[in-house]
Every structure is written in C-alpha cells, then in structure tokens.
C-alpha cells in the first residue's frame, strides 16, 4: 500500500485526523481564527447572525440564547469548563472518582471574598486586615489554598479506591457547604459576604472594565481557559501524564513497575483542586456576593456529568461537556418562542406548566441518558479510552 493511499484512507477517518493532516501553518491559522471567533461570540452584532431558517414557527432557529443574556451564559459556561478541565485531570487522567469537586470551587470563592470585601469580618470585627486586598493579589492565594485543601484531603484518603473514595470526596464538599451555611464566625452564614472585589482595569474613559457587564468577564475566563489547556496538555504529554495513565489503567501493575502511585495521585488531586479554586475566584470576582447556597451537591454532579458527557480523559471532551451542560438548558428557553410551544396545558381542570423554561432540565436529562447509553465513551472521547470501551464491548458480546 502506497503512502498516498494511506493518506487518503486517513482523510476519511474523522475530523481530528483531517485537521492533523493539514500543514502546520494552516493548523495554526485555523486555531487563531477559531479563537478570534470565540472572543467575538458575546458581541451582539456577531451572535445575532448565528442561526438558520426553518419552515415552522417563527421561521428562524437561533443558536444564541434569547431567554437570557448571551454574555452571562457564556461566562457561566466558561467557569464550568474550567471546573470540567480540573476534574478531568483527577477523573479522566488519574482515574480517581471525585464527587465533591465543587468544594475546591468554594474554597477559591470564599478566599477571594474574605480578602477583597470591605464587609469581610476579617476587617470589620477582627481587624486582621486593615483594608480589602486587590482581587489580583488574592487569586494566587485562592489557588494555593485550594491546592492545599486538595493535598490535605488526598493525603489520608487516596489509599481508598472507587466508591469509597467517591464517598469521602462527597463528604468533603458537604462539610464545606454545611460549615459555610451554619458558621457565623468568619463566613457569615447564609447572609454571605457582599461587595466582593472585581478584577482590575479601566477603559480609556476611566470607566471600570470589570463592573456589571458580563462580556469582559467572559474574555477573562476564556483567556484563563486557553492558558489552562496549554498547562494540562504539557502535563499529559510529560512523565506525570504517562504515570497518571498507568495508574488509571492498572494501579497495582503501575506500582509493581516502579511508579510511585500515591505521589502522582496526590499531584492529580492538587492540580485539579488548584484549577477548581481558580474557577471559584473568577466567579466570585463577577458575582460580587458569596454565600453557601451556590455550593450544593447538584453542582458537583453537574461537573461530573460534563466530564462524562464530553469524554473522560479528553481535553476537548471536557470543554464540550462543560459547554453543553450549561448552554443547552439555557438555549432551550428559546425553543418555545421559535416553535410556538404552549406555556401551559389543562388536564382535568388542572393547569400544568409545560414551558421549555420549566422542562429544560427534563429534556437535558433525557438527552444525557441517551448519550450515555449509545455513546458511553462520550461525545469527544480520548482515543485510548474509546479503544478500551470498544474492546470491552467485544469481550462481552454474545458468541453465536
């Protein structure tokens, strides 16, 4: 078989192979154009052109969210993508099931809130701080404390495996939420911490860049995501990444081959926790208010669903999953207006709310179940894991 024939066959495999077959300058140019489009995405003049005509309803199906602010939804997608990337290091690369990953998000958010808010009890009651700190100074502290919490959680628990580790991490997240809810000493209980500091920067006219508009926050989180992707890619291609894969495949075999499994599992926990804390600090800078109601168990499960939906062990899968779990339910709000979907139906004299806004999580949940049944490797799987699942399916296939 000639080289030319092999190339033609590879061209037909999938989009990833087609992209890899392009010359390097063309790949770089395509990525630059794609990134520029991502930065333009929250611009109204740009996203209002995203859609296509349909023969029913209003005659036009928009890809943007008409029921909520597009830039705000994109920012929410951004910090969930960061969370999915962090959990992907823990679950996708090292194979450690973490059900309490949102606890690290809470550590980062509360650290920024305590250090930047003039209403913080560290300033108003205990005089441990003379004045609020700048947001930019507190972000590295939030990352460090989240990483430290990951190490402190992992040190005694990473000798556990599977369901036992999942239960411990779930308990960690719930402890943080309950302490934040009931403890009035520093975290101020359900009253929370208001007036959290914003990122720095002003426009040429002197107006603050990071104020009430979501667009600058989206640009900031997108920039952070790009930096985190480069960091994770380098780690995945290094000795550390190969050790994570060995641990995920067979921890006992990796240990027999001389891999210090506990050390590398602790590294995965710490790096994932740091990314989670970074995401929390970005969210707190925009939200301007932090209390315990945000850090519920449902959010941890949603991040886990994002990783599994996109494809565990795949950076692209984590990004796609994090985007879908936030964007799709918000986009479904727009469906009723497009197709003339009724908001209520009457059955036996009882009015039942059937609007897409009310049913969007039911629809999303049903789609998630379908994907997990028919594509268990995820929408954008890691090649190695996809091959493993295919081999397992062959092993359990009935012999005729």
């Amino acid at each position: 078989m000639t080289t030319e024939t092999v190339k033609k066959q590879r061209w037909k495999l999938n989009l990833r192979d087609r992209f890899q077959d392009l010359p390097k300058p063309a790949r770089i140019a395509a990525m630059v154009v794609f990134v520029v489009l991502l930065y333009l995405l929250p611009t109204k003049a740009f996203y209002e052109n995203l859609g296509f005509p349909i023969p029913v309803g209003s005659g036009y199906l928009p890809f943007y969210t008409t029921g909520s602010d597009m830039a705000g939804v994109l920012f929410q997608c951004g910090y969930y993508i960061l969370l999915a990337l962090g959990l992907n290091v823990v679950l996708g690369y090292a194979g450690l099931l973490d059900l309490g990953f949102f606890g690290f998000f809470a550590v980062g958010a509360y650290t920024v809130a305590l250090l930047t808010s003039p209403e913080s009890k560290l300033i108003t009651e205990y005089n441990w701080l003379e004045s609020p700190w700048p947001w930019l100074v507190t972000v590295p502290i939030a990352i460090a404390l989240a990483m430290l919490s990951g190490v402190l959680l992992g040190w005694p628990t990473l000798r556990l495996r599977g369901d036992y580790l999942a239960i411990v991490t779930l308990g960690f997240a719930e402890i943080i939420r309950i302490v934040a809810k009931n403890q009035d000493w520093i975290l101020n209980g359900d009253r929370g911490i208001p007036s959290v500091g914003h990122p720095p920067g002003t426009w040429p006219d002197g107006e603050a860049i990071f104020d009430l508009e979501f667009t600058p926050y989206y640009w900031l989180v997108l920039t952070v995501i790009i930096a985190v992707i480069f960091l994770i890619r380098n780690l995945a291609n290094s000795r550390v990444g190969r050790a994570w894969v060995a641990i995920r495949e067979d921890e006992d075999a990796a240990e027999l081959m001389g891999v210090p499994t506990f050390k590398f599992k602790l590294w995965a926990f710490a790096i994932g926790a740091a990314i989670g804390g970074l995401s929390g600090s970005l969210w707190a800078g925009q939200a301007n208010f932090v209390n315990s109601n945000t850090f519920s168990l449902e959010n941890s499960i949603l991040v886990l669903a994002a990783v599994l939906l996109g494809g565990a062990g795949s950076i692209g899968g984590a990004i796609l999953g994090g985007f879908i779990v936030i964007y799709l339910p918000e986009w479904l709000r727009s469906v009723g207006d497009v197709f003339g979907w009724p908001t209520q139906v009457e059955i036996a004299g009882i009015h039942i709310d059937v609007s897409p806004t009310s049913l969007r999580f039911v629809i999303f949940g049903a789609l998630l179940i379908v994907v997990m049944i028919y594509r268990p490797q995820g929408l954008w799987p890691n090649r190695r894991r996809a091959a493993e699942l295919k081999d397992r399916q062959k092993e359990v296939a009935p012999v005729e």
Side-chain angles (χ1 to χ4, degrees), residues 343-355:
T343 57
Q344 284 187 341
V345 294
E346 185 176 347
I347 300 177
I350 301 174
H351 293 278
I352 301 175
D353 187 356
V354 294
S355 66

Side-chain angles (χ1 to χ4, degrees), residues 242-261:
R242 291 190 291 272
W244 286 339
V245 171
I247 293 168
R248 185 191 69 202
E249 299 304 319
D250 192 327
E251 185 174 343
D252 294 328
E255 188 133 21
L256 288 173
M257 294 298 293
V259 176
T261 56

Side-chain angles (χ1 to χ4, degrees), residues 186-198:
I186 290 180
L187 303 183
N188 213 24
D190 271 344
R191 294 191 299 275
I193 305 173
S195 305
V196 179
H198 298 293

Side-chain angles (χ1 to χ4, degrees), residues 7-18:
K7 285 187 176 181
K8 287 180 180 180
Q9 289 182 350
R10 288 188 62 212
W11 182 265
K12 298 177 183 179
L13 290 177
N14 54 43
L15 187 61
R16 182 188 301 174
D17 287 328
R18 295 182 186 183

Side-chain angles (χ1 to χ4, degrees), residues 211-279:
D211 194 4
L212 299 177
E213 290 291 328
F214 280 104
T215 301
Y217 290 99
Y218 166 73
W219 290 336
L220 175 61
V221 77
L222 178 59
T223 305
V224 172
I225 288 171
I226 293 171
V228 169
I229 289 172
F230 278 107
L231 170 66
I232 294 176
R233 281 182 62 87
N234 288 334
L235 281 172
N237 295 327
S238 69
R239 176 172 171 264
V240 176
R242 291 190 291 272
W244 286 339
V245 171
I247 293 168
R248 185 191 69 202
E249 299 304 319
D250 192 327
E251 185 174 343
D252 294 328
E255 188 133 21
L256 288 173
M257 294 298 293
V259 176
T261 56
F262 180 77
K263 182 180 80 171
F264 283 112
K265 287 196 296 183
L266 199 60
W267 264 109
F269 237 62
I271 292 170
I275 297 173
L278 173 61
S279 179

